[in-house]
């Protein structure tokens, strides 16, 4: 007598599972099925990768073409001029980029100084930026960092002279994440530029890639290259509805907003970031540095759960239909004395004075989170 058999299917998408053709729907590694009962819930490789929760915050991603450019920079012993947005750069380092440029001379331009609190001393800020670069694996010292506000257009002559001094007749590559200010830098640079090389400024496809670069001749044999903005794809504003997403980025000096959190209490920072305090003694002192239009609400227990990702969440709210499945969750334990920062890529940071506390942070999937020395402090 015949019988009806069981067909194993993906528990998420419903595709019939198969172990032979990875490029076709329903593929699953045969090793995963070994020993599993027929009624066990399993998913195909595609669904597993799509739904797998992150074990650590996501870093910045860059293209292979961009890495090819940096391979050439390394071969030519070029000077790297690395532009960063001082308000938010800590989550944008790429290990692949840093590996290629760590042996090269690096000049760091910290742009948007005007967005940070005036009370920070420039000397302390240069030390902080250099420290964050070293944490990222690049041997940058305080003397390698220059602070500026390119929107004001001041100080570009000094930067131009510094580049000329440091490059030692080699090529120069300008790199930085989108919105770091590279376009402003080039506009300002070109206003003071004097072409004595006899060669033209060109915009051309870089050999071996599909990327187009502007090449500015510095002398008869070397160029300054404007590379495309790469990285920064883990910034929170990119998870917001496209219309108005950058209105939640500061336009002037960032002012701190202060809160206290007891165990079991939460901060909702806009509709996409939630910070819970799970453990600790006394009240944790928090200072939040976000754009003025980012609403911050304090809630406790179930109320925090009900508001987060709901229509009642503070602004900015995430794209419609976002659920907990679309959220990354990380625990951060603070063991150091003094202020420490929890940073959210492209969005802002929370300064904590809470030694011994355990926090849990919720962010949209793929958004960068970093923890470390306080940017403002004191």
């Amino acid at each position: 007598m015949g019988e009806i058999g069981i067909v194993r299917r993906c528990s998420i998408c419903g595709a019939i599972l198969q172990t032979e053709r990875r490029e076709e729907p329903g593929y699953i590694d045969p090793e995963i099925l070994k020993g599993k009962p027929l009624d066990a819930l399993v998913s195909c490789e595609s669904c597993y990768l799509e739904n797998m929760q992150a074990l650590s915050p996501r870093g910045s991603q860059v293209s292979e073409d961009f890495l090819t450019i940096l391979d050439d920079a390394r071969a030519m012993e070029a000077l790297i001029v690395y532009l960063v947005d001082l308000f938010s750069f800590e989550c944008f380092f790429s290990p692949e980029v840093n590996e290629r440029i760590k042996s090269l001379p690096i000049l760091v331009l910290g742009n948007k100084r005007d967005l940070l609190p005036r009370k920070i001393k420039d000397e302390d800020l240069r030390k902080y930026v250099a420290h964050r670069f070293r944490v990222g694996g690049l041997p940058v010292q305080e003397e390698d960092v220059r602070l500026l506000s390119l929107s004001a257009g001041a100080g570009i002559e000094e930067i131009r002279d510094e580049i000329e001094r440091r490059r030692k007749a080699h090529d120069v590559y300008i790199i930085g994440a989108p919105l770091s200010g590279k376009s402003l830098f080039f506009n300002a640079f070109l206003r003071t530029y004097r072409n004595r090389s006899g060669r033209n400024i060109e915009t051309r496809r870089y050999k071996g890639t599909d990327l187009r670069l502007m090449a500015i001749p510095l002398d008869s044999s070397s160029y300054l290259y404007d590379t495309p903005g790469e990285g920064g794809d883990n910034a929170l504003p990119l998870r917001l509805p496209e219309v108005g997403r950058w209105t939640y980025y500061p336009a002037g000096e960032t002012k701190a907003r202060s809160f206290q959190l007891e165990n079991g209490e939460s901060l909702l920072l806009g509709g996409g970031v939630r910070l819970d305090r799970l453990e600790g003694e006394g009240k944790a002192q928090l200072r939040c540095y976000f754009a003025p239009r980012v609403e911050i609400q304090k809630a406790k227990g179930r109320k925090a759960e009900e508001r987060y990702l709901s229509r009642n969440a503070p602004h900015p709210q995430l794209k419609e239909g976002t659920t907990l499945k679309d959220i990354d969750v990380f625990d951060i334990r603070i063991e150091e004395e003094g202020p420490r920062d929890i940073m959210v890529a492209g969005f802002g940071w929370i300064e904590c004075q809470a030694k011994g506390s355990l926090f849990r942070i919720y962010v949209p999937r793929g958004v960068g989170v970093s923890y470390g020395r306080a940017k403002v402090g004191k």
Side-chain angles (χ1 to χ4, degrees):
M1 182 176 178
E3 63 179 21
I4 296 177
I6 294 175
V7 176
R8 294 189 112 159
R9 300 174 64 189
C10 173
S11 60
I12 298 175
C13 72
I16 296 174
L17 296 177
Q18 52 91 11
T19 60
E20 297 178 355
R21 299 171 300 281
R22 177 171 249 133
E23 70 281 2
E24 295 186 9
Y27 175 80
I28 186 171
D29 189 319
E31 292 296 320
I32 295 175
L33 293 179
K34 285 184 178 179
K36 281 214 172 21
L38 290 175
D39 59 353
L41 293 178
V42 290
S43 61
C44 66
E45 183 174 88
S46 177
C47 287
Y48 173 77
L49 294 175
E50 182 180 347
N51 292 277
M52 181 178 65
Q53 301 303 311
L55 300 179
S56 60
R58 181 175 178 270
S60 248
Q61 306 296 305
V62 296
S63 69
E64 288 298 322
D65 280 353
F66 185 71
L67 296 179
T68 296
I69 292 172
L70 296 184
D71 286 335
D72 282 356
R74 179 170 55 183
M76 299 300 293
E77 299 180 341
L79 169 67
I80 300 296
V81 177
Y82 201 140
L83 241 76
V84 297
D85 172 354
L86 289 171
F87 179 75
S88 182
F89 71 94
E90 295 86 350
C91 303
F92 292 159
F93 288 112
S94 162
E96 293 85 0
V97 169
N98 291 357
E99 178 63 28
R100 283 163 171 79
I101 68 173
K102 66 182 182 182
S103 63
L104 298 176
I106 300 173
L107 174 63
V108 177
L109 303 183
N111 186 27
K112 306 184 185 180
R113 173 64 179 90
D114 53 312
L115 298 186
L116 299 189
R118 296 188 185 96
K119 73 175 186 177
I120 310 177
K121 295 179 180 178
D122 283 357
E123 177 185 1
D124 292 337
L125 187 52
R126 285 193 297 270
K127 289 179 180 178
Y128 171 83
V129 172
H131 165 74
R132 294 303 309 185
F133 268 77
R134 292 195 298 272
V135 170
L138 295 174
V140 170
Q141 303 301 319
E142 180 186 350
E143 57 268 23
D144 301 319
V145 179
R146 299 291 182 271
L147 308 178
L148 64 164
S149 296
L150 285 168
S151 59
I156 195 65
E157 292 87 355
E158 291 84 353
I159 298 298
R160 180 200 62 201
D161 294 343
E162 184 73 3
I163 290 173
E164 185 61 32
R165 182 181 70 82
R166 286 175 175 254
R167 76 182 185 90
K168 298 179 180 178
H170 289 268
D171 289 334
V172 179
Y173 288 73
I174 312 295
I175 69 173
L179 301 178
S180 60
K182 290 198 305 90
S183 295
L184 284 174
F185 172 81
F186 265 87
N187 290 338
F189 183 88
L190 289 172
R191 284 197 295 270
T192 67
Y193 171 71
R194 297 293 180 269
N195 189 351
R196 299 181 177 90
S197 70
R199 298 184 294 170
N200 294 327
I201 296 175
E202 299 178 326
T203 299
R204 59 180 186 239
R205 186 174 68 84
Y206 195 86
K207 61 184 183 298
T209 77
D210 292 325
L211 299 179
R212 296 183 65 80
L213 276 66
M214 180 184 289
I216 301 176
L218 299 175
D219 55 37
S220 61
S221 61
S222 56
Y223 285 90
L224 183 147
Y225 292 103
D226 175 20
T227 69
E230 291 259 355
D233 58 325
N234 58 347
L236 184 141
L238 299 179
R239 273 65 175 179
L240 300 177
E242 189 168 353
V243 177
R245 64 173 50 158
W246 294 109
T247 63
Y248 297 100
Y249 193 85
E253 181 184 2
T254 309
K255 304 289 187 180
R257 286 176 271 177
S258 298
F259 297 87
Q260 295 180 333
L261 278 192
E262 296 181 341
N263 294 340
E265 293 184 327
S266 305
L267 281 186
L268 302 180
L269 302 120
V273 179
R274 171 179 156 193
L275 184 73
D276 297 348
R277 190 184 186 211
L278 305 182
E279 299 175 7
E281 297 182 2
K283 296 181 178 180
Q285 309 297 319
L286 308 182
R287 293 167 65 84
C288 299
Y289 292 88
F290 296 86
R293 291 193 63 193
V294 174
E295 296 179 359
I296 303 176
Q297 296 179 3
K298 184 175 173 180
K300 186 172 184 178
R302 184 169 295 277
K303 285 189 177 181
E305 296 174 3
E306 291 173 351
R307 289 184 195 172
Y308 185 55
L309 301 182
S310 75
R311 292 184 178 180
N312 296 322
H315 292 284
Q317 296 190 1
L318 298 179
K319 296 177 180 178
E320 189 174 351
T322 301
T323 68
L324 280 175
K325 174 184 172 183
D326 308 306
I327 298 297
D328 285 336
V329 184
F330 307 106
D331 283 353
I332 300 171
R333 184 175 293 279
I334 298 180
E335 298 180 343
E336 302 87 351
E337 294 280 2
R340 308 293 289 180
D341 283 350
I342 299 172
M343 293 147 288
V344 180
F347 195 53
W349 72 96
I350 308 150
E351 180 187 290
C352 307
Q353 295 242 25
K355 181 182 179 181
S357 290
L358 176 65
F359 291 96
R360 178 166 292 166
I361 189 166
Y362 299 70
V363 295
R365 192 171 186 181
V367 166
V369 176
S370 184
Y371 168 75
R373 180 187 296 184
K375 182 156 28 183
V376 179
K378 300 180 182 178

